[in-house]
Short mmCIF file of all heavy atoms in Angstrom, two decimals:
data_model
loop_
_atom_site.label_atom_id
_atom_site.label_comp_id
_atom_site.label_asym_id
_atom_site.label_seq_id
_atom_site.Cartn_x
_atom_site.Cartn_y
_atom_site.Cartn_z
N MET X 1 -58.42 92.46 177.43
CA MET X 1 -57.70 91.73 176.41
C MET X 1 -58.70 91.00 175.51
O MET X 1 -59.64 90.39 175.99
CB MET X 1 -56.76 90.72 177.07
CG MET X 1 -56.01 89.88 176.07
SD MET X 1 -54.89 88.70 176.82
CE MET X 1 -56.00 87.38 177.19
N GLN X 2 -58.48 91.09 174.22
CA GLN X 2 -59.30 90.36 173.26
C GLN X 2 -58.41 89.34 172.56
O GLN X 2 -57.22 89.57 172.35
CB GLN X 2 -59.92 91.30 172.24
CG GLN X 2 -60.88 92.28 172.86
CD GLN X 2 -61.44 93.25 171.84
OE1 GLN X 2 -61.30 93.05 170.65
NE2 GLN X 2 -62.06 94.30 172.32
N TYR X 3 -58.99 88.22 172.17
CA TYR X 3 -58.22 87.16 171.53
C TYR X 3 -59.10 86.40 170.54
O TYR X 3 -60.31 86.58 170.49
CB TYR X 3 -57.62 86.21 172.57
CG TYR X 3 -58.61 85.65 173.55
CD1 TYR X 3 -59.24 84.43 173.32
CD2 TYR X 3 -58.94 86.34 174.71
CE1 TYR X 3 -60.14 83.92 174.20
CE2 TYR X 3 -59.85 85.83 175.62
CZ TYR X 3 -60.43 84.62 175.37
OH TYR X 3 -61.34 84.11 176.25
N ARG X 4 -58.45 85.54 169.75
CA ARG X 4 -59.16 84.76 168.75
C ARG X 4 -59.52 83.39 169.32
O ARG X 4 -58.72 82.74 169.98
CB ARG X 4 -58.29 84.56 167.51
CG ARG X 4 -59.01 83.78 166.44
CD ARG X 4 -58.33 83.82 165.11
NE ARG X 4 -56.90 83.66 165.21
CZ ARG X 4 -56.18 82.98 164.34
NH1 ARG X 4 -56.74 82.40 163.33
NH2 ARG X 4 -54.89 82.90 164.49
N LEU X 5 -60.75 82.97 169.05
CA LEU X 5 -61.25 81.67 169.51
C LEU X 5 -61.88 80.96 168.32
O LEU X 5 -62.65 81.55 167.58
CB LEU X 5 -62.29 81.87 170.62
CG LEU X 5 -62.81 80.61 171.29
CD1 LEU X 5 -61.74 80.05 172.23
CD2 LEU X 5 -64.06 80.90 172.08
N LYS X 6 -61.53 79.69 168.14
CA LYS X 6 -62.07 78.90 167.03
C LYS X 6 -62.81 77.71 167.62
O LYS X 6 -62.28 76.98 168.45
CB LYS X 6 -60.93 78.42 166.14
CG LYS X 6 -61.36 77.57 164.98
CD LYS X 6 -60.15 77.18 164.15
CE LYS X 6 -60.49 76.30 162.99
NZ LYS X 6 -59.29 75.93 162.24
N VAL X 7 -64.07 77.55 167.19
CA VAL X 7 -64.89 76.42 167.62
C VAL X 7 -65.21 75.59 166.38
O VAL X 7 -65.72 76.11 165.39
CB VAL X 7 -66.20 76.90 168.28
CG1 VAL X 7 -67.04 75.71 168.72
CG2 VAL X 7 -65.91 77.82 169.46
N VAL X 8 -64.88 74.30 166.43
CA VAL X 8 -65.20 73.38 165.33
C VAL X 8 -66.31 72.46 165.83
O VAL X 8 -66.19 71.83 166.89
CB VAL X 8 -63.97 72.58 164.89
CG1 VAL X 8 -64.32 71.61 163.78
CG2 VAL X 8 -62.86 73.52 164.44
N PHE X 9 -67.37 72.40 165.05
CA PHE X 9 -68.54 71.60 165.43
C PHE X 9 -68.42 70.18 164.89
O PHE X 9 -67.60 69.90 164.04
CB PHE X 9 -69.81 72.27 164.89
CG PHE X 9 -70.04 73.64 165.48
CD1 PHE X 9 -69.66 74.78 164.81
CD2 PHE X 9 -70.62 73.78 166.73
CE1 PHE X 9 -69.86 76.04 165.35
CE2 PHE X 9 -70.83 75.03 167.29
CZ PHE X 9 -70.44 76.16 166.59
N VAL X 10 -69.26 69.28 165.38
CA VAL X 10 -69.20 67.88 164.97
C VAL X 10 -69.50 67.68 163.49
O VAL X 10 -69.08 66.69 162.89
CB VAL X 10 -70.14 66.99 165.83
CG1 VAL X 10 -69.64 66.93 167.26
CG2 VAL X 10 -71.57 67.49 165.79
N ASP X 11 -70.19 68.63 162.86
CA ASP X 11 -70.45 68.55 161.42
C ASP X 11 -69.36 69.26 160.61
O ASP X 11 -69.53 69.53 159.43
CB ASP X 11 -71.83 69.12 161.07
CG ASP X 11 -71.96 70.59 161.42
OD1 ASP X 11 -71.01 71.16 162.00
OD2 ASP X 11 -73.02 71.17 161.12
N ASN X 12 -68.21 69.57 161.26
CA ASN X 12 -67.03 70.20 160.67
C ASN X 12 -67.23 71.65 160.26
O ASN X 12 -66.38 72.22 159.58
CB ASN X 12 -66.45 69.38 159.51
CG ASN X 12 -65.87 68.08 160.00
OD1 ASN X 12 -65.28 68.02 161.08
ND2 ASN X 12 -66.03 67.02 159.23
N GLU X 13 -68.32 72.28 160.67
CA GLU X 13 -68.47 73.72 160.48
C GLU X 13 -67.57 74.42 161.50
O GLU X 13 -67.32 73.89 162.58
CB GLU X 13 -69.92 74.16 160.69
CG GLU X 13 -70.86 73.65 159.63
CD GLU X 13 -70.65 74.32 158.28
OE1 GLU X 13 -70.36 75.52 158.25
OE2 GLU X 13 -70.76 73.62 157.27
N GLU X 14 -67.06 75.60 161.13
CA GLU X 14 -66.18 76.33 162.03
C GLU X 14 -66.75 77.69 162.36
O GLU X 14 -67.38 78.33 161.53
CB GLU X 14 -64.81 76.52 161.38
CG GLU X 14 -64.06 75.24 161.13
CD GLU X 14 -62.69 75.49 160.52
OE1 GLU X 14 -62.33 76.67 160.30
OE2 GLU X 14 -62.00 74.52 160.25
N LEU X 15 -66.50 78.12 163.58
CA LEU X 15 -66.87 79.45 164.03
C LEU X 15 -65.58 80.09 164.56
O LEU X 15 -64.98 79.58 165.51
CB LEU X 15 -67.92 79.38 165.15
CG LEU X 15 -68.28 80.69 165.83
CD1 LEU X 15 -68.94 81.65 164.83
CD2 LEU X 15 -69.19 80.44 167.00
N VAL X 16 -65.14 81.18 163.90
CA VAL X 16 -63.93 81.88 164.33
C VAL X 16 -64.34 83.26 164.82
O VAL X 16 -64.95 84.03 164.08
CB VAL X 16 -62.91 81.99 163.18
CG1 VAL X 16 -61.68 82.75 163.63
CG2 VAL X 16 -62.53 80.61 162.66
N LEU X 17 -64.00 83.54 166.06
CA LEU X 17 -64.32 84.82 166.68
C LEU X 17 -63.01 85.55 166.98
O LEU X 17 -62.18 85.06 167.72
CB LEU X 17 -65.11 84.60 167.97
CG LEU X 17 -66.41 83.82 167.80
CD1 LEU X 17 -66.92 83.33 169.14
CD2 LEU X 17 -67.45 84.69 167.12
N GLU X 18 -62.84 86.70 166.38
CA GLU X 18 -61.59 87.46 166.51
C GLU X 18 -61.55 88.36 167.73
O GLU X 18 -60.47 88.81 168.12
CB GLU X 18 -61.38 88.32 165.25
CG GLU X 18 -61.23 87.52 163.97
CD GLU X 18 -59.91 86.76 163.89
OE1 GLU X 18 -58.95 87.14 164.60
OE2 GLU X 18 -59.84 85.79 163.13
N ASN X 19 -62.68 88.64 168.33
CA ASN X 19 -62.73 89.63 169.42
C ASN X 19 -63.35 89.05 170.69
O ASN X 19 -64.20 89.67 171.32
CB ASN X 19 -63.48 90.87 168.96
CG ASN X 19 -64.84 90.54 168.37
OD1 ASN X 19 -65.23 89.38 168.33
ND2 ASN X 19 -65.56 91.54 167.93
N THR X 20 -62.89 87.88 171.09
CA THR X 20 -63.39 87.21 172.28
C THR X 20 -62.84 87.90 173.53
O THR X 20 -61.66 88.22 173.60
CB THR X 20 -62.97 85.73 172.28
OG1 THR X 20 -63.38 85.14 171.06
CG2 THR X 20 -63.58 84.98 173.43
N LYS X 21 -63.70 88.13 174.49
CA LYS X 21 -63.28 88.71 175.76
C LYS X 21 -63.07 87.64 176.83
O LYS X 21 -62.16 87.73 177.63
CB LYS X 21 -64.30 89.74 176.24
CG LYS X 21 -64.36 90.97 175.37
CD LYS X 21 -65.37 91.94 175.87
CE LYS X 21 -64.67 93.01 176.65
NZ LYS X 21 -65.57 94.05 177.13
N LYS X 22 -63.98 86.62 176.85
CA LYS X 22 -63.81 85.51 177.79
C LYS X 22 -64.62 84.31 177.30
O LYS X 22 -65.53 84.45 176.50
CB LYS X 22 -64.22 85.90 179.21
CG LYS X 22 -65.69 86.16 179.40
CD LYS X 22 -66.00 86.50 180.85
CE LYS X 22 -67.49 86.68 181.02
NZ LYS X 22 -67.87 86.88 182.41
N HIS X 23 -64.25 83.14 177.80
CA HIS X 23 -64.99 81.93 177.45
C HIS X 23 -64.87 80.95 178.62
O HIS X 23 -63.98 81.08 179.45
CB HIS X 23 -64.46 81.30 176.16
CG HIS X 23 -63.07 80.76 176.26
ND1 HIS X 23 -61.95 81.56 176.15
CD2 HIS X 23 -62.61 79.52 176.49
CE1 HIS X 23 -60.87 80.82 176.28
NE2 HIS X 23 -61.24 79.57 176.50
N GLY X 24 -65.81 79.99 178.66
CA GLY X 24 -65.78 78.99 179.72
C GLY X 24 -67.00 78.10 179.66
O GLY X 24 -67.85 78.24 178.78
N PHE X 25 -67.05 77.17 180.59
CA PHE X 25 -68.13 76.20 180.64
C PHE X 25 -69.19 76.65 181.64
O PHE X 25 -68.89 77.28 182.65
CB PHE X 25 -67.60 74.82 181.03
CG PHE X 25 -66.60 74.28 180.06
CD1 PHE X 25 -65.24 74.38 180.30
CD2 PHE X 25 -67.01 73.71 178.88
CE1 PHE X 25 -64.32 73.90 179.40
CE2 PHE X 25 -66.10 73.21 177.96
CZ PHE X 25 -64.75 73.31 178.23
N SER X 26 -70.44 76.29 181.37
CA SER X 26 -71.53 76.60 182.30
C SER X 26 -71.38 75.74 183.57
O SER X 26 -70.62 74.77 183.59
CB SER X 26 -72.88 76.35 181.65
OG SER X 26 -73.04 74.98 181.35
N ASP X 27 -72.10 76.11 184.60
CA ASP X 27 -72.02 75.39 185.87
C ASP X 27 -72.43 73.92 185.75
O ASP X 27 -71.89 73.07 186.44
CB ASP X 27 -72.88 76.07 186.93
CG ASP X 27 -72.31 77.43 187.33
OD1 ASP X 27 -71.10 77.65 187.13
OD2 ASP X 27 -73.09 78.26 187.83
N ASP X 28 -73.38 73.63 184.88
CA ASP X 28 -73.82 72.24 184.71
C ASP X 28 -73.02 71.50 183.64
O ASP X 28 -73.31 70.35 183.33
CB ASP X 28 -75.31 72.19 184.38
CG ASP X 28 -75.66 72.94 183.10
OD1 ASP X 28 -74.75 73.47 182.45
OD2 ASP X 28 -76.85 73.01 182.78
N LEU X 29 -71.99 72.13 183.08
CA LEU X 29 -71.10 71.55 182.06
C LEU X 29 -71.84 71.07 180.81
O LEU X 29 -71.42 70.12 180.16
CB LEU X 29 -70.27 70.41 182.66
CG LEU X 29 -69.32 70.81 183.79
CD1 LEU X 29 -68.64 69.60 184.37
CD2 LEU X 29 -68.29 71.83 183.32
N GLU X 30 -72.93 71.72 180.47
CA GLU X 30 -73.66 71.37 179.26
C GLU X 30 -73.51 72.41 178.18
O GLU X 30 -73.81 72.12 177.02
CB GLU X 30 -75.13 71.14 179.59
CG GLU X 30 -75.34 69.91 180.46
CD GLU X 30 -76.76 69.43 180.44
OE1 GLU X 30 -77.54 69.87 179.59
OE2 GLU X 30 -77.09 68.58 181.28
N LEU X 31 -73.06 73.61 178.53
CA LEU X 31 -72.92 74.69 177.55
C LEU X 31 -71.50 75.26 177.58
O LEU X 31 -70.85 75.29 178.63
CB LEU X 31 -73.90 75.83 177.85
CG LEU X 31 -75.38 75.51 177.78
CD1 LEU X 31 -76.18 76.71 178.26
CD2 LEU X 31 -75.78 75.14 176.36
N PHE X 32 -71.05 75.72 176.43
CA PHE X 32 -69.80 76.46 176.34
C PHE X 32 -70.19 77.91 176.08
O PHE X 32 -70.84 78.22 175.10
CB PHE X 32 -68.94 75.91 175.19
CG PHE X 32 -67.59 76.55 175.11
CD1 PHE X 32 -66.66 76.34 176.11
CD2 PHE X 32 -67.24 77.35 174.04
CE1 PHE X 32 -65.41 76.93 176.04
CE2 PHE X 32 -66.00 77.94 173.96
CZ PHE X 32 -65.07 77.72 174.96
N GLU X 33 -69.81 78.78 176.99
CA GLU X 33 -70.23 80.18 176.94
C GLU X 33 -69.08 81.06 176.45
O GLU X 33 -67.95 80.95 176.94
CB GLU X 33 -70.68 80.63 178.32
CG GLU X 33 -71.83 79.80 178.84
CD GLU X 33 -72.15 80.05 180.30
OE1 GLU X 33 -71.29 80.53 181.04
OE2 GLU X 33 -73.29 79.73 180.69
N ILE X 34 -69.39 81.91 175.48
CA ILE X 34 -68.40 82.80 174.88
C ILE X 34 -68.93 84.23 174.95
O ILE X 34 -70.07 84.49 174.57
CB ILE X 34 -68.14 82.44 173.41
CG1 ILE X 34 -67.74 80.97 173.27
CG2 ILE X 34 -67.09 83.35 172.81
CD1 ILE X 34 -67.78 80.45 171.84
N THR X 35 -68.10 85.14 175.41
CA THR X 35 -68.45 86.55 175.44
C THR X 35 -67.51 87.29 174.50
O THR X 35 -66.29 87.22 174.66
CB THR X 35 -68.31 87.14 176.86
OG1 THR X 35 -69.14 86.39 177.75
CG2 THR X 35 -68.72 88.60 176.89
N THR X 36 -68.09 87.98 173.51
CA THR X 36 -67.31 88.80 172.59
C THR X 36 -67.68 90.26 172.82
O THR X 36 -68.52 90.58 173.65
CB THR X 36 -67.57 88.43 171.12
OG1 THR X 36 -68.91 88.79 170.78
CG2 THR X 36 -67.36 86.95 170.86
N VAL X 37 -67.07 91.13 172.04
CA VAL X 37 -67.38 92.56 172.15
C VAL X 37 -68.83 92.82 171.77
O VAL X 37 -69.51 93.65 172.37
CB VAL X 37 -66.42 93.36 171.25
CG1 VAL X 37 -66.79 94.83 171.24
CG2 VAL X 37 -64.99 93.18 171.71
N GLU X 38 -69.36 92.09 170.77
CA GLU X 38 -70.70 92.34 170.27
C GLU X 38 -71.80 91.47 170.87
O GLU X 38 -72.95 91.87 170.90
CB GLU X 38 -70.76 92.12 168.74
CG GLU X 38 -69.92 93.06 167.93
CD GLU X 38 -68.58 92.46 167.55
OE1 GLU X 38 -68.44 91.23 167.64
OE2 GLU X 38 -67.69 93.21 167.17
N GLU X 39 -71.47 90.24 171.32
CA GLU X 39 -72.53 89.30 171.68
C GLU X 39 -72.07 88.30 172.73
O GLU X 39 -70.88 88.17 173.01
CB GLU X 39 -73.03 88.57 170.45
CG GLU X 39 -71.95 87.77 169.74
CD GLU X 39 -72.38 87.26 168.39
OE1 GLU X 39 -73.58 87.20 168.11
OE2 GLU X 39 -71.50 86.91 167.60
N ILE X 40 -73.04 87.56 173.27
CA ILE X 40 -72.79 86.45 174.18
C ILE X 40 -73.38 85.20 173.54
O ILE X 40 -74.54 85.18 173.13
CB ILE X 40 -73.44 86.70 175.55
CG1 ILE X 40 -72.82 87.93 176.20
CG2 ILE X 40 -73.28 85.48 176.45
CD1 ILE X 40 -73.52 88.36 177.47
N LEU X 41 -72.57 84.15 173.42
CA LEU X 41 -73.00 82.90 172.79
C LEU X 41 -73.01 81.78 173.82
O LEU X 41 -72.16 81.73 174.70
CB LEU X 41 -72.04 82.52 171.66
CG LEU X 41 -71.83 83.54 170.56
CD1 LEU X 41 -70.66 83.14 169.69
CD2 LEU X 41 -73.08 83.67 169.73
N ALA X 42 -73.96 80.88 173.69
CA ALA X 42 -74.04 79.67 174.50
C ALA X 42 -74.24 78.50 173.55
O ALA X 42 -75.26 78.40 172.88
CB ALA X 42 -75.17 79.76 175.50
N ILE X 43 -73.23 77.63 173.48
CA ILE X 43 -73.24 76.51 172.52
C ILE X 43 -73.30 75.20 173.31
O ILE X 43 -72.48 75.00 174.22
CB ILE X 43 -71.98 76.54 171.65
CG1 ILE X 43 -71.86 77.89 170.93
CG2 ILE X 43 -71.98 75.39 170.65
CD1 ILE X 43 -70.52 78.11 170.26
N PRO X 44 -74.23 74.31 172.98
CA PRO X 44 -74.27 73.00 173.65
C PRO X 44 -72.97 72.21 173.39
O PRO X 44 -72.50 72.14 172.26
CB PRO X 44 -75.47 72.30 173.02
CG PRO X 44 -76.30 73.40 172.45
CD PRO X 44 -75.34 74.48 172.05
N LEU X 45 -72.41 71.64 174.45
CA LEU X 45 -71.15 70.90 174.31
C LEU X 45 -71.26 69.70 173.39
O LEU X 45 -70.29 69.31 172.75
CB LEU X 45 -70.64 70.45 175.68
CG LEU X 45 -69.93 71.52 176.49
CD1 LEU X 45 -69.53 70.98 177.85
CD2 LEU X 45 -68.72 72.04 175.76
N LYS X 46 -72.44 69.11 173.28
CA LYS X 46 -72.63 67.95 172.41
C LYS X 46 -72.41 68.29 170.94
O LYS X 46 -72.18 67.41 170.13
CB LYS X 46 -74.03 67.37 172.60
CG LYS X 46 -74.23 66.75 173.95
CD LYS X 46 -75.63 66.20 174.09
CE LYS X 46 -75.81 65.58 175.46
NZ LYS X 46 -77.14 65.00 175.63
N GLN X 47 -72.48 69.58 170.59
CA GLN X 47 -72.30 70.01 169.20
C GLN X 47 -70.85 70.36 168.87
O GLN X 47 -70.52 70.60 167.73
CB GLN X 47 -73.18 71.22 168.90
CG GLN X 47 -74.65 70.93 168.95
CD GLN X 47 -75.47 72.15 168.61
OE1 GLN X 47 -74.96 73.23 168.33
NE2 GLN X 47 -76.78 72.00 168.64
N ILE X 48 -69.97 70.40 169.88
CA ILE X 48 -68.60 70.85 169.68
C ILE X 48 -67.65 69.67 169.54
O ILE X 48 -67.65 68.75 170.36
CB ILE X 48 -68.16 71.74 170.85
CG1 ILE X 48 -69.02 72.99 170.91
CG2 ILE X 48 -66.69 72.11 170.73
CD1 ILE X 48 -68.75 73.88 172.10
N LYS X 49 -66.83 69.73 168.48
CA LYS X 49 -65.79 68.73 168.26
C LYS X 49 -64.52 69.15 169.02
O LYS X 49 -63.95 68.36 169.75
CB LYS X 49 -65.50 68.62 166.77
CG LYS X 49 -64.63 67.48 166.36
CD LYS X 49 -64.54 67.46 164.84
CE LYS X 49 -64.07 66.16 164.30
NZ LYS X 49 -64.05 66.18 162.83
N TYR X 50 -64.06 70.39 168.80
CA TYR X 50 -62.94 70.91 169.58
C TYR X 50 -62.92 72.43 169.56
O TYR X 50 -63.58 73.07 168.75
CB TYR X 50 -61.59 70.33 169.13
CG TYR X 50 -61.09 70.80 167.79
CD1 TYR X 50 -60.33 71.96 167.67
CD2 TYR X 50 -61.34 70.06 166.64
CE1 TYR X 50 -59.87 72.38 166.45
CE2 TYR X 50 -60.87 70.48 165.42
CZ TYR X 50 -60.14 71.63 165.33
OH TYR X 50 -59.68 72.05 164.11
N ILE X 51 -62.12 72.99 170.47
CA ILE X 51 -61.99 74.44 170.64
C ILE X 51 -60.52 74.78 170.63
O ILE X 51 -59.71 74.09 171.27
CB ILE X 51 -62.60 74.86 172.00
CG1 ILE X 51 -64.06 74.46 172.08
CG2 ILE X 51 -62.43 76.36 172.22
CD1 ILE X 51 -64.61 74.41 173.47
N ALA X 52 -60.16 75.82 169.89
CA ALA X 52 -58.77 76.30 169.85
C ALA X 52 -58.75 77.77 170.24
O ALA X 52 -59.53 78.57 169.74
CB ALA X 52 -58.19 76.12 168.46
N CYS X 53 -57.84 78.10 171.15
CA CYS X 53 -57.76 79.47 171.67
C CYS X 53 -56.36 80.01 171.38
O CYS X 53 -55.36 79.33 171.62
CB CYS X 53 -58.01 79.45 173.16
SG CYS X 53 -57.83 81.04 173.94
N ASP X 54 -56.29 81.23 170.85
CA ASP X 54 -55.02 81.88 170.57
C ASP X 54 -54.92 83.13 171.44
O ASP X 54 -55.19 84.24 170.99
CB ASP X 54 -54.92 82.24 169.09
CG ASP X 54 -53.58 82.84 168.73
OD1 ASP X 54 -52.62 82.66 169.49
OD2 ASP X 54 -53.49 83.52 167.69
N ALA X 55 -54.58 82.94 172.71
CA ALA X 55 -54.47 84.06 173.64
C ALA X 55 -53.07 84.08 174.23
O ALA X 55 -52.60 83.09 174.77
CB ALA X 55 -55.50 83.92 174.74
N LYS X 56 -52.42 85.20 174.09
CA LYS X 56 -51.07 85.35 174.63
C LYS X 56 -51.03 86.64 175.44
O LYS X 56 -51.54 87.67 175.02
CB LYS X 56 -50.04 85.42 173.51
CG LYS X 56 -49.97 84.16 172.69
CD LYS X 56 -48.96 84.30 171.59
CE LYS X 56 -48.95 83.04 170.75
NZ LYS X 56 -48.08 83.12 169.63
N ILE X 57 -50.41 86.57 176.57
CA ILE X 57 -50.23 87.75 177.39
C ILE X 57 -48.74 88.09 177.36
O ILE X 57 -47.90 87.29 177.75
CB ILE X 57 -50.69 87.51 178.84
CG1 ILE X 57 -52.18 87.17 178.86
CG2 ILE X 57 -50.39 88.71 179.71
CD1 ILE X 57 -52.68 86.75 180.21
N LEU X 58 -48.43 89.25 176.84
CA LEU X 58 -47.04 89.67 176.71
C LEU X 58 -46.77 90.80 177.70
O LEU X 58 -47.46 91.82 177.68
CB LEU X 58 -46.75 90.14 175.29
CG LEU X 58 -47.02 89.11 174.19
CD1 LEU X 58 -46.82 89.74 172.83
CD2 LEU X 58 -46.11 87.91 174.35
N LYS X 59 -45.79 90.63 178.53
CA LYS X 59 -45.40 91.69 179.47
C LYS X 59 -43.97 92.09 179.16
O LYS X 59 -43.12 91.26 178.89
CB LYS X 59 -45.49 91.18 180.91
CG LYS X 59 -46.90 90.93 181.36
CD LYS X 59 -46.93 90.56 182.83
CE LYS X 59 -48.33 90.33 183.27
NZ LYS X 59 -48.41 89.98 184.70
N LYS X 60 -43.74 93.39 179.20
CA LYS X 60 -42.39 93.90 178.96
C LYS X 60 -41.86 94.57 180.20
O LYS X 60 -42.57 95.13 180.96
CB LYS X 60 -42.39 94.89 177.80
CG LYS X 60 -42.66 94.21 176.50
CD LYS X 60 -42.50 95.18 175.37
CE LYS X 60 -42.71 94.47 174.04
NZ LYS X 60 -42.50 95.31 172.92
#
């Protein structure tokens, strides 16, 4: 499943990723780790203002 993830930084810059596969916090809670189809990102939590996730699982 792929979903959209939006990260807003403390300087109000935005990063919108449309093809996120998974995201989460590092073991030491200092980094926010994002895995997309193309890349793996590690962002220091001190730089993040907030995170918005648009993931829905629909079952029929």
Side-chain angles (χ1 to χ4, degrees):
M1 178 179 83
Q2 296 177 13
Y3 53 93
R4 181 167 43 142
L5 186 75
K6 179 179 179 181
V7 179
V8 179
F9 297 98
V10 293
D11 62 356
N12 292 324
E13 292 290 323
E14 295 181 1
L15 173 64
V16 179
L17 302 165
E18 298 289 338
N19 52 1
T20 306
K21 292 180 100 177
K22 68 178 183 175
H23 67 278
F25 299 99
S26 64
D27 291 338
D28 60 2
L29 298 175
E30 293 198 13
L31 297 174
F32 185 67
E33 301 170 338
I34 305 167
T35 302
T36 68
V37 175
E38 296 98 16
E39 60 191 341
I40 298 172
L41 303 168
I43 304 169
L45 280 177
K46 292 180 180 182
Q47 294 181 0
I48 297 175
K49 190 176 198 177
Y50 70 88
I51 301 161
C53 176
D54 183 19
K56 296 179 182 176
I57 299 173
L58 302 174
K59 292 185 179 180
K60 291 186 177 183

